[in-house]
Amino acid sequence: MNETDLAFTPALDLAQLIRRREVSPLELVNIYLERIQRLNPQLGSYFTVMADLAIADAKAKTEVLATTKELPPFFGVPISIKDLNAVAGVPCTYGNPALLNNIVNYDDGVVTRIKEAGFILLGKTATSELGSFPYSEPTGFPPARNPWNLDYTPGGSSGGAAASVAAGLSAIAQGSDGGGSIRGPAACCGVVGIKPSRGRVTHAPVGDRLSGIATNGPIARTVADAAALLDTISGYFPGDPYWLPEPQPSFLAATQKQPGELRIAFSTIIPPLGEADPTCEQGVLQTVQLLAELGHKVEQKSPDYSGLVEPFQIVWQAGVGAAGIPAPALQPFNQFLLARSGSAAEYLQAVAQMQMVSRQIVGFFHNVDVLVLPVYLHSPIRVGEWADLTPEETFQNIINWVAPCPAANATGQPAIALPVGFDSNGLPISVQLVGKPGGEETLISLAAQLEAANPWLQHRPALAT
């Protein structure tokens, strides 16, 4: 196996190669750091490359490997961390250039879990400023680009994370999702992204992100890798305001389990916001046809999202004010969101309304196991395509593009983005599977079944080979 093949090998397989002493952590880290040095100037996937820390950790782990038999599950496997999450001793910029020297002295809970699993941290990946945009082009940083076609965005706000996996600049990645920020980039870059159920993954040391709409989650090349990383980061941290019981026996085990006959609904329309373009629609329809061939019962129908749009916007945009960054230091769009922020009373009213509508949406799943939707309503935009729009125009464009995603954030339901093909620009096409609250095991089992029927791992961007 050559170095390029190793860079695109699934994380679980890399962990086994390390266990068998067929490759060392130091060898892997050097492979990824060489690729980052060579390709990141074109891709903008990383804001911060932790080369010295990664090499030191890899050397230590390589020495341990010679004498230790009991190893954590991902011992020596390289991973990237989104730059909305704190890593001790490393800058956390949140996509704002004023914070380039913001070196934090603690690890987020999800980073603690990742370190405990034996991963080696390669660096901090590109995000939009404060995670507010579905593309990753913050002022003061190179724009993140899609490895399948550099003219296009890899999405946002976990754009750098998804691009790092798709381009072989990391074995696997941590991301976060407050309105599609894992699923959208995974779709743009042709990788697997899981937005877990509310309470599945901690937000420690803080207790909550925007009344529970945001969560950390995995981005990976395969469903099994994503499931295994979800196993790693799942679980209660003391003081978490929401939590769920552990899966039995694991999410990874769900990839080896047949889902049985499921009741599957599908839609390519998100009223009142619009319908999918022909490319995204075709991705859904082809997937639904495959699901029917696999023995599932499929029906065209969807929940009513009409009452969710306004309260979700109020809750989501409050994240800009919560960051505490003065308006002059923000990009114009975030200044616009900050100016729209209302009072605490208005925020709480929006939360209450969002929760009431969410109850109706969750009720739809009493008689449905999985809902198949587009991830976004149209294919990725070009880098800089919306740069000259007014904030008002940008806001409306974002709402209309990401429309299929925010409902799962509002309800706290799990959802998976899964690649299924390519469009005419050579960009991946993906679909979104939404499950019952706490229903990751069913979703993961179904996603693994679809992946087996329509394999994807053999595809690599030409840039990265």
Side-chain angles (χ1 to χ4, degrees), residues 31-304:
I31 287 170
Y32 283 112
L33 288 177
E34 185 279 328
R35 292 179 65 82
I36 292 169
Q37 183 179 29
R38 177 162 47 89
L39 296 174
N40 196 59
Q42 300 173 69
L43 289 168
S45 298
Y46 284 86
F47 285 164
T48 300
V49 181
M50 297 161 49
D52 291 344
L53 291 171
I55 289 171
D57 190 14
K59 286 180 177 178
K61 283 185 165 63
T62 298
E63 291 176 4
V64 167
L65 190 63
T67 58
T68 305
K69 293 183 178 180
E70 294 298 324
L71 301 171
F74 282 105
F75 183 85
V77 176
I79 191 172
S80 63
I81 304 295
K82 184 177 177 180
D83 205 20
L84 294 184
N85 290 85
V87 176
V90 179
C92 191
T93 73
Y94 304 97
N96 185 290
L99 299 175
L100 281 169
N101 295 317
N102 177 41
I103 297 176
V104 296
N105 60 4
Y106 65 93
D107 289 332
D108 277 356
V110 69
V111 173
T112 297
R113 290 257 163 83
I114 284 169
K115 287 183 175 180
E116 290 172 348
F119 282 106
I120 296 174
L121 278 53
L122 291 170
K124 305 293 291 298
T125 52
T127 177
S128 57
E129 185 181 71
L130 305 181
S132 300
F133 302 70
Y135 46 96
S136 303
E137 303 170 25
T139 301
F141 298 86
R145 296 180 180 274
N146 197 309
W148 296 95
N149 187 327
L150 293 175
D151 291 335
Y152 290 84
T153 183
S157 59
S158 305
S164 77
V165 174
L169 304 190
S170 64
I172 197 166
Q174 171 269 336
S176 57
D177 191 317
S181 287
I182 285 174
R183 290 161 286 163
C188 290
C189 294
V191 291
V192 179
I194 301 179
K195 187 215 81 81
S197 295
R198 181 175 299 140
R200 183 68 68 194
V201 181
T202 187
H203 263 295
V206 300
D208 184 19
R209 283 291 294 145
L210 299 174
S211 298
I213 69 171
T215 181
N216 293 290
I219 297 174
R221 291 193 186 91
T222 68
V223 175
D225 274 4
L229 181 52
L230 184 56
D231 282 325
T232 293
I233 61 178
S234 292
Y236 175 77
F237 255 64
D240 284 347
Y242 324 106
W243 63 90
L244 290 171
E246 297 293 323
Q248 296 299 326
S250 70
F251 293 125
L252 178 58
T255 65
Q256 302 300 316
K257 179 183 176 183
Q258 289 300 310
E261 181 182 337
L262 299 177
R263 300 164 298 177
I264 297 177
F266 72 95
S267 180
T268 58
I269 301 173
I270 308 296
L273 297 174
E275 58 186 287
D277 71 6
T279 298
C280 296
E281 178 186 41
Q282 190 61 28
V284 171
L285 296 180
Q286 289 176 349
T287 301
V288 168
Q289 181 179 350
L290 177 56
L291 288 166
E293 292 170 359
L294 290 169
H296 301 289
K297 182 179 179 181
V298 300
E299 181 180 1
Q300 187 169 6
K301 61 179 181 178
S302 71
D304 180 8

Side-chain angles (χ1 to χ4, degrees), residues 273-355:
L273 297 174
E275 58 186 287
D277 71 6
T279 298
C280 296
E281 178 186 41
Q282 190 61 28
V284 171
L285 296 180
Q286 289 176 349
T287 301
V288 168
Q289 181 179 350
L290 177 56
L291 288 166
E293 292 170 359
L294 290 169
H296 301 289
K297 182 179 179 181
V298 300
E299 181 180 1
Q300 187 169 6
K301 61 179 181 178
S302 71
D304 180 8
Y305 302 109
S306 57
L308 188 62
V309 178
E310 183 177 357
F312 184 89
Q313 290 174 18
I314 293 171
V315 174
W316 172 74
Q317 69 195 21
V320 176
I325 298 175
L330 296 172
Q331 290 181 255
F333 179 68
N334 276 333
Q335 293 179 18
F336 165 77
L337 293 182
L338 182 62
R340 285 171 54 99
S341 298
S343 66
E346 290 170 329
Y347 176 86
L348 291 174
Q349 289 169 354
V351 170
Q353 179 64 28
M354 183 179 71
Q355 290 172 344

